[in-house]
Amino acid sequence: MTSTLSRPAQPAPVGRLVDQFERGLDAPICLTWELTYACNLACVHCLSSSGKRDPRELSTQQCKAIIDELQRMQVFYVNIGGGEPTVRSDFWELVDYATSHQVGVKFSTNGLRITPDVAQRLAASDYVDVQISLDGATAEVNDAVRGPGSFDMAVRALENLHEAGFQDAKISVVVTRENVSQLDEFKALADRYGATLRITRLRPSGRGADVWDDLHPLPSQQRELYDWLVANGNGVLTGDSFFHLSAYGEALPGLNLCGAGRVVCLIDPVGDVYACPFAIHENFLAGNILSDGGFAEIWKNSDLFTQLREPTGGGACASCNHYDACRGGCMAAKFFTGLPMDGPDPECVQGHGEHLLAGERDKPTANKDHSRGIPLTLMTRVPDSWQPPTAAPSKACDENPLAGFTGAR
């Protein structure tokens, strides 16, 4: 008689992280929070059409209540933007409050308030990350997009941070038809100031919808960008915004998936929650924090987020051999160019979006526009009482939603 040894139960396969992320997480890995629409510049591609402050802007206490909720949800990082967030009189108070409540802060700025004194204070802390926006490696290219004097202002901020000993500032570049040839120059500029280069995709949202046809990289430039990222990607951050380029062949680092409502979302200055920072439109509005039970309730139970987390069949792209690489591309890019949501990305590298762009399209208009004609001069300063935060937040999520995870494909 032979004995039979029972085998230990095998754990159920968990699959790829990208498949798990597609169904959403209990909390966003990275959250974008636009504190204000007020801005001293009027960039032609501004995704939120910023300029004028919304009078309904959340108060200091309302913002702190949101931070408390994010702490309870264990949100790793908040990417604070605008507008120009530093023009809020309580900006530094909110930065301090967030980091002392274990919510990391990365804020994007055009450099307006990064004076030598502010740079010194920031350099004294390891818990706040600063991202300087720059869309040209020369004043000629940058100022055509961001306005006269904006290049000098950004470089001055980088100089102040570098001289103060601030470690690893970010230079944030929106890649356009005019600056894609300057990638090496951007990298050299970052190296000069001990910074890291971060490049992101131009989306046709906000005022960007008006200039996208003229500014988005041409197909040959898309290939140039892809080749450059393959060669330099280990030292350059992308925020996962170029996953559509992976259809060229080798997948780029990061999450090759639209994270809208799954791992990312946006809170705007009045508490509206949108599925994606690049899709500020009523079609992607999940709710309002003040009227719909708070952020956690919206993130976990909103009808829109539930719908976005449902598995998709791929639509017209499902039969493409490159679908697993690009997953149909960017939701916001398709929506704001008037292309079908279940169709190809307008910048599909296989060319499937080009004939659709050449046809009749019904492009939606932004339902929020805070643009103004003349840039404001906003000169309030950092309060003397502000000091660097003393509690270290989690930095698991810096730029890459997969930071700290392994096994993603």
Side-chain angles (χ1 to χ4, degrees), residues 72-377:
R72 291 192 294 270
M73 294 176 70
Q74 299 183 318
V75 172
F76 292 148
Y77 235 90
V78 174
N79 297 303
I80 293 179
E84 171 53 44
T86 64
V87 304
R88 271 191 66 136
S89 60
D90 60 356
F91 173 73
W92 306 101
E93 179 183 352
L94 292 175
V95 168
D96 190 11
Y97 190 84
T99 54
S100 66
H101 286 73
Q102 293 75 51
V103 178
V105 171
K106 177 190 302 298
F107 72 90
S108 298
T109 174
N110 56 42
L112 176 69
R113 298 290 177 74
I114 309 301
T115 63
D117 177 63
V118 171
Q120 288 285 349
R121 297 187 187 196
L122 289 168
S125 171
D126 293 329
Y127 314 135
V128 180
D129 204 1
V130 185
Q131 185 168 281
I132 307 295
S133 297
L134 198 64
D135 291 326
T138 59
E140 179 183 12
V141 174
N142 178 83
D143 291 5
V145 173
R146 304 188 64 82
S150 57
F151 180 83
D152 291 341
M153 181 170 63
V155 170
R156 185 163 55 249
L158 289 167
E159 291 173 345
N160 290 340
L161 289 167
H162 182 60
E163 291 175 3
F166 185 89
Q167 298 295 313
D168 197 26
K170 308 298 186 294
I171 296 178
S172 180
V173 177
V174 177
V175 178
T176 69
R177 190 174 303 178
E178 303 301 323
N179 68 19
V180 69
S181 63
Q182 296 185 316
L183 292 172
D184 287 334
E185 295 175 66
F186 281 121
K187 186 64 169 63
L189 190 67
D191 292 343
R192 183 186 312 162
Y193 294 110
T196 297
L197 177 62
R198 180 180 188 268
I199 63 174
T200 57
R201 183 181 180 185
L202 174 68
R203 263 78 166 206
S205 53
R207 286 197 294 268
D210 298 327
V211 300
W212 188 83
D213 287 339
D214 296 323
L215 284 184
H216 80 95
L218 298 169
S220 61
Q221 293 175 317
Q222 296 275 7
R223 181 70 203 211
E224 177 185 349
L225 171 60
Y226 171 77
D227 291 340
W228 192 88
L229 284 171
V230 170
N232 299 275
N234 289 335
V236 176
L237 304 172
T238 65
D240 293 323
S241 63
F242 296 107
F243 63 90
H244 69 294
L245 297 181
S246 293
Y248 276 126
E250 181 180 344
L252 297 174
L255 181 63
N256 285 328
L257 171 74
C258 173
R262 298 179 173 111
V263 298
V264 301
C265 69
L266 173 137
I267 302 174
D268 85 347
V270 300
D272 284 340
V273 179
Y274 293 89
C276 171
F278 307 106
I280 303 176
H281 188 277
E282 57 190 7
N283 285 37
F284 304 103
L285 176 62
N288 182 275
I289 286 173
L290 301 182
S291 60
D292 294 314
F295 179 73
E297 172 64 23
I298 294 170
W299 176 260
K300 294 176 182 178
N301 298 314
S302 77
D303 292 340
L304 174 64
F305 287 172
T306 299
Q307 178 183 349
L308 288 172
R309 294 163 188 165
E310 289 294 326
T312 60
C317 293
S319 60
C320 177
N321 293 333
H322 303 281
Y323 177 72
D324 282 344
C326 78
R327 307 300 288 261
C330 174
M331 174 186 75
K334 288 186 277 192
F335 178 77
F336 285 108
T337 52
L339 299 189
M341 296 297 287
D342 62 351
D345 189 289
E347 294 180 301
C348 169
V349 300
Q350 300 300 314
H352 300 307
E354 293 180 28
H355 74 280
L356 294 176
L357 290 174
E360 292 292 328
R361 292 177 284 147
D362 183 16
K363 294 191 291 185
T365 57
N367 61 314
K368 289 187 177 182
D369 190 341
H370 302 273
S371 303
R372 52 178 168 70
I374 302 173
L376 298 174
T377 301

Side-chain angles (χ1 to χ4, degrees), residues 392-406:
S394 167
K395 296 199 72 170
C397 179
D398 188 6
E399 290 290 336
N400 181 359
L402 297 184
F405 295 91
T406 58

